[in-house]
């Protein structure tokens, strides 16, 4: 830049919205089959939510704002680096940020010791745990290409696929998680119903649903002790997105599109690193801490309207 800083420019691809819309229209045609396969009755709602989230990825001006919010949140964390955005050189289709001379995930994985991988994995995990459970916002795109590694720190470089929730949703999600962690079926069922996991016909077996979550989503941090992500655990991860016949056919709240993407992507990354830590101690304090909504972010976009306008999709 003219002021001397070295920067990186992110540019929106031409016609990217049209390309995403075409992909979502194809997905809409296979929704009946998809819904039967994964045990979900409202797959159409979930595709509309995907459309809203993808629409957010196509607005680099909004991404720049979110990146600065995350940078402020983790400014004092020595394990995390988030590049500064140059707003004077950014807009809806262009984002300019500081250049970070880090190494890619593949190079890091090849050269790093297991202790260094454990430290990086803990930083990635805790960033999501803190931002989601304390502030009601997180980056739901834990793709290996979205990280750089340098000097014992993890650099996060993509904040397009971000989800924000009201405090009421976070409170219920915390209640559900704590109940599942402690094997409290009564509280788990109450919170899960309130979140919107219901059935159009028949009954939901909430005990089976809790056990399915305990086998995968809660398993790394359910106990106070070390847990190593590995290939064996990776084989259980279909439990995050495919509901068993014992559970019944569910209506899944659209908010859990981003939740599932975060869990699946993050756990897959940690399995690839074979990261080991006491994940219980990294997440449970945030599950039990008060929520601090970041109201200055402004109102959440109307994703129903966005989905209809951009992709011609409607909720069921």
């Amino acid at each position: 830049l003219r002021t001397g800083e070295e920067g990186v420019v992110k540019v929106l691809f031409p016609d990217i919205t049209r390309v995403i819309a075409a992909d979502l229209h194809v997905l809409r045609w296979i929704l009946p089959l998809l819904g039967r396969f994964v045990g979900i009755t409202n797959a159409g709602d979930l595709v509309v939510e995907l459309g809203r989230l993808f629409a957010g990825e196509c607005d680099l001006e909004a991404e720049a704002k979110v990146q600065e919010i995350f940078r402020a949140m983790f400014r004092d964390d020595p394990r995390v680096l988030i590049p500064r955005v140059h707003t004077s050189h950014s807009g809806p289709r262009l984002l300019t940020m500081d250049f970070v001379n880090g190494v890619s995930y593949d190079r890091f994985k090849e050269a790093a010791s297991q202790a260094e991988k454990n430290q990086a994995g803990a930083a990635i995990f805790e960033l999501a745990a803190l931002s989601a459970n304390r502030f009601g916002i997180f980056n739901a795109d834990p793709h290996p290409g979205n990280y750089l590694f340098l000097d014992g720190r993890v650099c996060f470089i993509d904040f397009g696929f971000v989800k924000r929730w009201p405090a009421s949703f976070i409170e219920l999600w915390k209640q559900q998680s704590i109940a599942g962690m402690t094997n409290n079926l009564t509280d788990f069922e109450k919170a899960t119903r309130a979140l919107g996991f219901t059935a159009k016909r028949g009954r939901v077996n909430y005990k089976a649903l809790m056990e399915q979550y305990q086998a995968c989503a809660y398993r790394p941090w359910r106990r106070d002790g070390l847990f190593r992500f590995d290939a064996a655990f990776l084989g259980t991860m279909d439990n995050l997105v495919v509901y068993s016949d014992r559970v019944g056919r569910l209506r899944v709240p659209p908010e859990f599109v981003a939740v599932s993407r975060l869990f699946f992507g993050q756990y897959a990354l940690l399995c690839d690193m074979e990261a080991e830590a006491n994940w219980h101690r990294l997440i449970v304090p945030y599950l039990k801490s008060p929520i601090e909504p970041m109201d200055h972010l402004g109102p959440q976009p109307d994703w129903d309207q966005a989905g209809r306008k951009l992709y011609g999709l409607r909720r069921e």
Side-chain angles (χ1 to χ4, degrees):
L1 304 179
R2 290 181 178 178
T3 49
E5 295 95 342
E6 191 171 5
V8 173
V9 177
K10 180 177 181 178
V11 181
L12 199 67
F13 278 109
D15 297 326
I16 187 65
T17 302
R18 180 184 57 79
V19 173
I20 292 174
D23 289 343
L24 288 170
H25 278 299
V26 171
L27 185 57
R28 179 179 61 176
W29 287 107
I30 64 171
L31 284 179
L33 176 62
L34 176 66
R36 287 194 295 271
F37 176 71
V38 300
I40 294 173
T41 61
N42 66 320
D45 292 357
L46 309 188
V47 173
V48 175
E49 172 71 347
L50 269 177
R52 193 204 66 77
L53 291 167
F54 284 141
E57 284 197 291
C58 295
D59 185 347
L60 298 188
E61 194 168 37
E63 179 177 341
K65 179 182 177 182
V66 172
Q67 183 165 328
E68 283 295 282
I69 289 169
F70 271 85
R71 184 168 177 267
M73 278 196 292
F74 294 94
R75 189 187 307 274
D76 298 324
D77 192 325
R79 304 166 303 167
V80 172
L81 175 62
I82 298 173
R84 175 183 49 155
V85 171
H86 295 272
T87 55
S88 60
H89 293 68
S90 302
R93 303 183 64 84
L94 182 77
L95 192 160
T96 304
M97 69 187 86
D98 282 345
F99 172 72
V100 174
N101 189 23
V103 301
S104 68
Y105 172 77
D106 287 339
R107 288 178 60 192
F108 170 77
K109 181 187 170 187
E110 180 180 354
S113 67
Q114 189 57 53
E116 289 170 330
K117 294 174 187 175
N118 293 344
Q119 180 178 331
I124 292 169
F125 180 88
E126 192 169 358
L127 180 139
L130 187 157
S131 59
N133 292 290
R134 184 175 176 184
F135 296 113
I137 181 173
F138 71 73
N139 179 13
D141 193 12
H143 184 278
N146 292 339
Y147 306 105
L148 295 172
F149 301 84
L150 70 161
D151 302 328
R153 294 178 294 172
V154 182
C155 176
F156 297 76
I157 57 174
D158 190 313
F159 291 88
F161 201 92
V162 169
K163 177 70 181 180
R164 290 187 282 131
W165 295 289
S168 57
F169 175 87
I170 297 296
E171 285 286 7
L172 287 171
W173 189 22
K174 288 184 176 187
Q175 291 169 21
Q176 183 198 48
S177 299
I178 291 172
M181 179 183 71
T182 58
N183 206 39
N184 185 328
L185 179 59
T186 300
D187 287 354
F188 179 86
E189 179 173 346
K190 182 179 179 180
T192 304
R193 284 181 181 274
L195 283 167
F197 286 88
T198 55
K200 283 187 174 180
R201 293 182 294 275
R203 297 181 63 255
V204 175
N205 184 337
Y206 290 100
K207 183 175 187 295
L209 180 61
M210 183 177 71
E211 291 171 349
Q212 185 164 332
Y213 282 2
Q214 288 172 341
C216 187
Y218 304 152
R219 184 179 160 199
W221 47 266
R222 191 177 172 207
R223 307 296 183 191
D224 186 359
L226 292 176
F227 179 89
R228 179 181 291 274
F229 286 89
D230 55 22
F233 179 77
L234 187 65
T236 72
M237 283 178 39
D238 61 340
N239 288 329
L240 286 171
V241 292
V242 180
Y243 294 95
S244 70
D245 292 337
R246 290 180 58 230
V247 171
R249 290 180 54 75
L250 282 174
R251 177 198 176 274
V252 175
E255 291 83 358
F256 275 78
V257 170
V259 172
S260 297
R261 181 172 178 176
L262 172 69
F263 270 107
F264 196 93
Q266 188 178 82
Y267 282 5
L269 184 77
L270 295 174
C271 285
D272 193 53
M273 298 168 67
E274 296 190 341
E276 182 179 50
N278 189 325
W279 313 103
H280 178 93
R281 295 189 181 182
L282 290 178
I283 192 173
V284 170
Y286 300 121
L287 292 176
K288 295 182 177 180
S289 66
I291 301 169
E292 301 176 32
M294 303 184 75
D295 295 331
H296 61 278
L297 292 177
Q300 183 84 324
D302 183 346
W303 63 264
D304 283 336
Q305 182 178 1
R308 288 193 297 270
K309 181 179 179 181
L310 291 174
Y311 308 118
L313 298 170
R314 298 178 181 273
R315 294 183 64 182
E316 293 180 358

